[in-house]
Amino acid sequence: MQTGERMQTNEEAVETTISTLVEKARTAMDQIYDYSQEQVDELVQAVAWAIYKPGNAEALAQMAVQDTGLGNYADKVTKKRRKTMGTLHDLTGEKSVGVIRNDEASGITEIAKPVGVVGAVVPSTNPGATPANIAMMALKGRNAIIIAPSPKGLSTSNLLLTYIHEELEKLGAPLDLVQVLPAPVNKAKTIELMKQVDFLTVTGSRNNVRLGQTSGTPNICVSEGNVVSIVDASADIQSAARKIFLSKIFDNATSCSNDNSVVIEAAVYDEMMHALQKQGGYLCNQIEKEQLQDALWMNGKRNPETVAKDPAVIAEAASLQNPQAEKASFFMVEETGVGEQYPFSGEKLAVVLTIYKAKDFNDAIQITKGILSYHGRGHSCGLHTSTEKHIEQIGLEMDVCRLLINQVQVAGNGGSFDNGLNFTLSMGGGTWAGNNTCDNLSYKHFLNITKVARLIPEVVPPEEELWGSYWKKYGRH
């Protein structure tokens, strides 16, 4: 067989594999199209219980760490349980079947319908939590979902699928509502899935997001993170240090919402640095910073051997021999620049915190804008302050979709029980990031809405009401 023929055969095989999955998904969707709201909500509960059930979250976390080498077991268990509970809470009581709104005044009735077969490309950093989270949202809209994990995350996603199917069987629901790409998972299958599904969501690398956005399929693809938190002179320093520490180390910084950089006003710089050191942060000197950089990047690319690893692994890889470095909870490097020549200014996915000193609050905003323009534009940032004027100023000036005030970024960006953001593991960055949404991914993104418009009594506004103020300033001629 010639090389060209072999390639064509492989392409045809991939296309057939994906079309078979999609056809099974469509059949499953047809079987639940007439489900009541109660039946749909039971599907969502089933998926939630599949990951939240005692023992399941633990097994998934253990497999994820073992097979991907990313993050840590305890935090992955916490993430799976917390995100699942929060998402289920958000979805409980929400209408997603049939008539979901009827406004007599406007004569508009809204009827919810599925978007179709959903393709969900999920990252190796969350091969269990993210698929479950998106599956709950997709099923809320009576959609079927096909999950495309990373190669290293396939085993975890398959175990999750086993748990989900066990719960769906209890309901007598079609198992093909939730599927996972078969082994071997590769780029060809993932790209073909992107083409064939009706709706696509991509959470993960910049390259995968771009593939999703250019696939020709309607999509909600989310942006990369690179969270920057500002600490101003009025902040509660000890509280800010604690929250930044908790955000930095969670799951070994696998999340797009972990703090990556901190910009500190000069007036409290020394105090804040001391507070961060009390939380277990180790400040690298110039030589150690260079060693750390060599351990994190190779030939300008992020070294996978130090992505989302335990602090001790990073210390060893960077040859940090100071006893304090060897027992550190995270590492700190002082930086002054932004861009490719300053790799610590970008997203690192490592327990390494980049520190910037700002002359004042205005300078802190400018530094933060520069960092986010390089990596993470549109995603999110934080502010630790007790000055209301600063909250208003940064809200007006910073082009991000999420601005958390005095919070643990990694615990709040994707929704929390103590803020108003909905729970999710996928966060849009708006047009700033080239995304279709500024929102946290929610079940509403998985609904098509038919608006039935009835006649209402006609109300034609008088011209004076519309142009009166304009005429008064500029005249009518």
Side-chain angles (χ1 to χ4, degrees):
M1 184 182 295
Q2 298 296 320
T3 302
E5 293 175 336
R6 190 180 302 112
M7 288 179 61
Q8 183 177 2
T9 300
N10 289 340
E11 290 173 0
E12 291 173 350
V14 168
E15 185 176 349
T16 299
T17 296
I18 300 304
S19 62
T20 300
L21 294 177
V22 171
E23 186 58 37
K24 289 164 65 177
R26 294 198 195 288
T27 300
M29 278 186 61
D30 288 342
Q31 293 173 4
I32 68 164
Y33 189 83
D34 293 325
Y35 267 28
S36 66
Q37 185 70 67
E38 181 182 2
Q39 288 175 298
V40 166
D41 288 345
E42 284 187 349
L43 292 175
V44 176
Q45 287 176 307
V47 173
W49 186 240
I51 189 171
Y52 193 87
K53 185 177 180 179
N56 287 9
E58 289 81 358
L60 289 164
Q62 184 177 8
M63 181 171 286
V65 173
Q66 172 186 302
D67 292 354
T68 69
L70 304 173
N72 67 70
Y73 168 78
D75 288 345
K76 285 195 181 297
V77 172
T78 298
K79 182 187 299 184
K80 286 170 174 56
R81 295 177 68 83
R82 184 175 180 276
K83 288 291 186 180
T84 299
M85 173 181 274
T87 301
L88 183 59
H89 177 262
D90 288 343
L91 300 184
T92 299
E94 297 294 331
K95 292 182 178 180
S96 62
V97 176
V99 175
I100 60 173
R101 179 174 173 267
N102 189 20
D103 187 343
E104 293 185 4
S106 67
I108 297 294
T109 299
E110 295 184 357
I111 302 173
K113 298 172 184 177
V115 295
V117 177
V118 174
V121 181
V122 299
S124 56
T125 50
N126 287 308
T130 299
N133 186 264
I134 298 175
M136 292 167 66
M137 297 175 186
L139 290 179
K140 180 74 174 180
R142 291 174 293 163
N143 305 288
I145 182 170
I146 302 171
I147 297 159
S150 68
K152 289 184 178 180
L154 176 60
S155 56
T156 304
S157 294
N158 274 336
L159 179 59
L160 172 67
L161 184 68
T162 298
Y163 293 153
I164 290 174
H165 282 179
E166 287 176 356
E167 299 304 319
L168 292 180
E169 281 183 332
K170 296 177 183 178
L171 308 182
L175 304 188
D176 289 332
L177 285 171
V178 184
Q179 300 177 75
V180 173
L181 285 186
V185 172
N186 52 40
K187 182 179 264 189
K189 286 181 181 176
T190 300
I191 291 175
E192 185 62 31
L193 179 72
M194 290 178 177
K195 294 177 182 178
Q196 290 199 32
V197 294
D198 301 306
F199 187 77
L200 176 66
T201 177
V202 180
T203 308
S205 71
R206 184 187 305 186
N207 287 338
N208 276 346
V209 168
R210 286 176 179 169
L211 285 172
Q213 290 173 325
T214 57
S215 64
T217 299
N219 65 83
I220 294 290
C221 298
V222 302
S223 63
E224 65 181 353
N226 187 26
V227 173
V228 185
S229 286
I230 294 175
V231 179
D232 76 9
S234 71
D236 181 331
I237 298 301
Q238 299 304 319
S239 175
R242 181 65 180 173
K243 289 170 181 174
I244 290 168
F245 154 74
L246 291 172
S247 179
K248 178 70 269 182
I249 68 165
F250 187 79
D251 200 21
N252 286 350
T254 57
S255 173
C256 58
S257 291
N258 293 98
D259 274 278
N260 266 295
S261 297
V262 175
V263 182
I264 307 168
E265 274 199 64
V268 292
Y269 187 85
D270 291 341
E271 183 182 358
M272 184 65 188
M273 291 299 290
H274 180 66
L276 288 169
Q277 288 171 317
K278 282 179 61 179
Q279 293 296 330
Y282 177 79
L283 179 61
C284 297
N285 60 35
Q286 185 58 39
I287 294 175
E288 291 171 325
K289 178 183 175 182
E290 293 172 2
Q291 293 173 200
L292 189 58
Q293 181 171 322
D294 290 340
L296 265 59
W297 290 274
M298 297 177 65
N299 300 319
K301 295 183 178 180
R302 190 67 178 82
N303 178 8
E305 297 302 317
T306 54
V307 171
K309 300 297 184 184
D310 291 339
V313 174
I314 292 179
E316 182 178 358
S319 300
L320 302 179
Q321 297 176 350
N322 187 311
Q324 290 183 319
E326 293 174 348
K327 62 181 181 180
S329 297
F330 64 102
F331 306 96
M332 298 184 291
V333 295
E334 294 176 299
E335 190 57 271
T336 57
V338 174
E340 290 185 5
Q341 300 303 313
Y342 305 90
F344 285 108
S345 64
E347 188 176 35
K348 298 177 285 294
L349 298 181
V351 286
V352 178
L353 188 65
T354 309
I355 311 291
Y356 292 83
K357 181 189 284 189
K359 295 190 295 289
D360 53 29
F361 187 66
N362 288 331
D363 187 37
I365 287 182
Q366 294 308 312
I367 292 171
T368 302
K369 285 182 177 180
I371 296 169
L372 293 177
S373 291
Y374 172 53
H375 270 186
R377 188 164 182 251
H379 193 285
S380 55
C381 71
L383 172 62
H384 296 272
T385 185
S386 60
T387 304
E388 188 64 33
K389 183 179 178 181
H390 284 178
I391 299 174
E392 180 180 350
Q393 181 180 349
I394 193 173
L396 291 170
E397 293 191 28
M398 199 65 63
D399 290 341
V400 292
C401 297
R402 291 154 214 85
L403 172 60
L404 267 59
I405 308 301
N406 299 322
Q407 295 176 54
V408 180
Q409 288 284 146
V410 74
N413 271 345
S416 179
F417 291 112
D418 60 1
N419 72 28
L421 298 174
N422 67 279
F423 279 84
T424 191
L425 282 148
S426 306
M427 289 154 273
T431 58
W432 299 305
N435 296 163
N436 293 329
T437 183
C438 273
D439 295 334
N440 286 5
L441 192 71
S442 78
Y443 78 95
K444 294 178 182 178
H445 293 111
F446 299 92
L447 298 176
N448 278 324
I449 305 295
T450 296
K451 290 189 176 181
V452 180
R454 294 181 174 85
L455 285 172
I456 59 175
E458 184 180 62
V459 178
V460 179
E463 292 179 351
E464 180 68 29
E465 181 181 308
L466 300 177
W467 284 285
S469 61
Y470 185 84
W471 290 337
K472 193 172 184 180
K473 289 180 70 175
Y474 304 108
R476 301 181 62 165
H477 304 288

